[in-house]
Amino acid sequence: MKAKKKLVRLLMVLMVSASIFSCSDGEDGATGPAGVDGIDGQNGQNGQDGQDGEDGQDGEPGSANVFYSNWIETELGSTINTQSASFDIEAPEIDSDILTEGIVLVFGRRVEINAGELESFTYQLPVSFFGARQQVYRATILTDSEIGSTAKIRIRVNSMDDTNVDDGNYIARYRYVIVPSGELIGSSSSSKSSNVNYSKMSYEEIKAQFNIPE
């Protein structure tokens, strides 16, 4: 009887040992197939557009049809022994349309040194100087019969006291500005009418009006 109990216990020990060894780690199995991709999430909302920047200021309108010459040195001289003298400036830009509908302005510039500083003074012709000088400077556009194929502007200086002119270089250089009828303020395209008296405007005003560089 005791021998049978010992046999049963031995069998039970063997069965437990067998179950323990059967639960030990074996070799890794093959990698399984990849799982199906998940569903993509929804796109987020777009951000609000930024505000547009402010428009820049428009540039000043140019005057492409207005012609201005360079500054031209005088040819009158400093020792004029007569009561008048003149010289001509060729101005081929002046044509019949300018003569009948446009405007030609002529300016003279005087340059002097005061207290070591160079100063300039610009006048629209005609201009008169009184006191000890007693001179008048004028500009005349020569007519077709006088100018031939090229228009000219005649610069003339006259003494106002019946004496010799002497120094005609008081105005040292000249510049002319040609304004076609279409550029005149308040003018129509077919006439010379204008509500502005350009002959009363200063050089600085003309420069600003037509964007003329120095």
Side-chain angles (χ1 to χ4, degrees), residues 31 73 109 163 196:
T31 303
E73 298 294 325
R109 172 165 289 177
T163 62
V196 176

Side-chain angles (χ1 to χ4, degrees), residues 17-210:
S17 298
S19 64
I20 291 173
F21 283 112
S22 67
C23 291
S24 62
D25 291 339
E27 294 183 359
D28 293 338
T31 303
V36 179
D37 291 339
I39 301 173
D40 293 337
Q42 295 182 351
N43 293 331
Q45 294 182 351
N46 293 329
Q48 294 182 350
D49 294 336
Q51 293 182 350
D52 294 336
E54 295 182 359
D55 292 337
Q57 293 183 349
D58 292 336
E60 294 183 0
S63 299
N65 296 323
V66 173
F67 176 84
Y68 43 88
S69 72
N70 295 322
W71 286 102
I72 301 165
E73 298 294 325
T74 183
E75 297 179 15
L76 289 174
S78 58
T79 55
I80 301 173
N81 296 320
T82 58
Q83 294 183 17
S84 68
S86 66
F87 76 99
D88 294 343
I89 298 173
E90 290 192 350
E93 303 82 10
I94 300 176
D95 55 22
S96 58
D97 290 336
I98 295 297
L99 291 173
T100 57
E101 298 181 357
I103 290 177
V104 179
L105 306 171
V106 181
F107 298 91
R109 172 165 289 177
R110 176 170 64 90
V111 180
E112 64 180 41
I113 299 176
N114 288 325
E117 298 291 333
L118 188 66
E119 295 183 343
S120 64
F121 306 87
T122 306
Y123 314 92
Q124 185 171 172
L125 272 56
V127 60
S128 300
F129 300 99
F130 300 95
R133 184 158 295 277
Q134 294 292 312
Q135 292 176 339
V136 56
Y137 291 80
R138 296 185 177 90
T140 304
I141 301 174
L142 304 184
T143 62
D144 290 342
S145 61
E146 295 171 305
I147 64 179
S149 59
T150 302
K152 292 181 176 66
I153 298 173
R154 177 160 293 171
I155 306 296
R156 180 181 294 276
V157 58
N158 288 85
S159 169
M160 295 189 296
D161 59 1
D162 297 328
T163 62
N164 292 340
V165 172
D166 293 330
D167 184 12
N169 290 342
Y170 190 62
I171 293 183
R173 52 185 65 99
Y174 298 87
R175 173 183 236 183
Y176 62 92
V177 177
I178 299 174
V179 185
S181 61
E183 297 290 342
L184 300 177
I185 301 174
S187 67
S188 65
S189 60
S190 60
S191 69
K192 198 173 182 177
S193 62
S194 173
N195 57 14
V196 176
N197 188 348
Y198 291 95
S199 66
K200 300 297 184 182
M201 295 176 68
S202 68
Y203 176 65
E204 294 301 324
E205 290 171 331
I206 293 295
K207 276 179 57 181
Q209 179 64 52
F210 299 112

